[in-house]
Amino acid sequence: MNDYVGDLDAVIERARQKKVEQIITIGIDLESSKKAVSLAGKYPGVRASVGIHPHDLPSSAESTYAAIVRLVEENREHIAGYGEIGLDYAKMYCPMELQQHHFRIQLELAKTLNLPVIIHDRDAHEDVLRILEQCGPFPAGGVMHCFSGDYTMACRTIDLGFFLSVPGIVTFKNANNLREVARKVPLTSLLLETDGPFLAPQPWRGKRNEPAYILATAACIADLRNISLEHLARTTTANATALFQPGLH
């Protein structure tokens, strides 16, 4: 994204210094998916996802998916997952029915490509879960990105075979639902993320987020669970590897 144009090399180097050795950069439309793949080809340890975010559907014709398939087929070694895709009823840049239609198309496409799905869910919990239940199972697995539901929804998501990904919001003292989820769900179902450039954890709240800050998110969750940071880091890294690089697990 444009937020990193001026200092991307430095951002990645700071991540390396904090022992963040693997990064997934996310596609939200065809153009950004191509850019993500390009970054993955340039930087060791960086891999890409591809897909069409619900905000970007009005400008995306069905033919876009053929281009996504070609992108995957030509760059398979650089691509870790399909997404982020899903539903967003908060901004509603696209009608519900159209969002749901394209969500189903992309879930099936991800299965055809044998890629794990990265799910965007904002104010659409029930519809997201219903469609995932109807379109499943997903042999390559998936993750509920930036999880924003309560513990009950977390359990339903895990029952689908999905991981939950927790962003820096968990460090906010008023994030009661997310903090409960991070404390109570099985550690084997948990992933960490930045959602950069958004959702920076404390003490960088409101500023540009970057991968090096994932350490603050990890430390908070380790504290909530009363376990060591090292144990949390090892387990969530193993979880991410199992989902996005299963051949290396």
Side-chain angles (χ1 to χ4, degrees), residues 5 125 237:
V5 167
H125 300 333
T237 296

XYZ file of all heavy atoms in Angstrom, residues 5 125 237:
24
model
N 5.487 3.076 0.596
C 6.248 3.359 -0.626
C 7.618 3.952 -0.305
O 8.624 3.605 -0.919
C 5.449 4.297 -1.554
C 6.338 4.848 -2.662
C 4.264 3.551 -2.155
N -21.191 -11.383 10.587
C -20.811 -12.668 11.175
C -21.700 -13.819 10.717
O -21.206 -14.857 10.261
C -20.848 -12.594 12.708
C -19.926 -11.571 13.302
N -18.766 -11.159 12.685
C -19.991 -10.892 14.483
C -18.162 -10.264 13.454
N -18.887 -10.087 14.530
N 3.673 -19.608 15.115
C 4.479 -19.780 13.907
C 4.204 -21.141 13.284
O 4.048 -21.263 12.059
C 5.979 -19.622 14.223
O 6.218 -18.283 14.656
C 6.837 -19.910 12.996
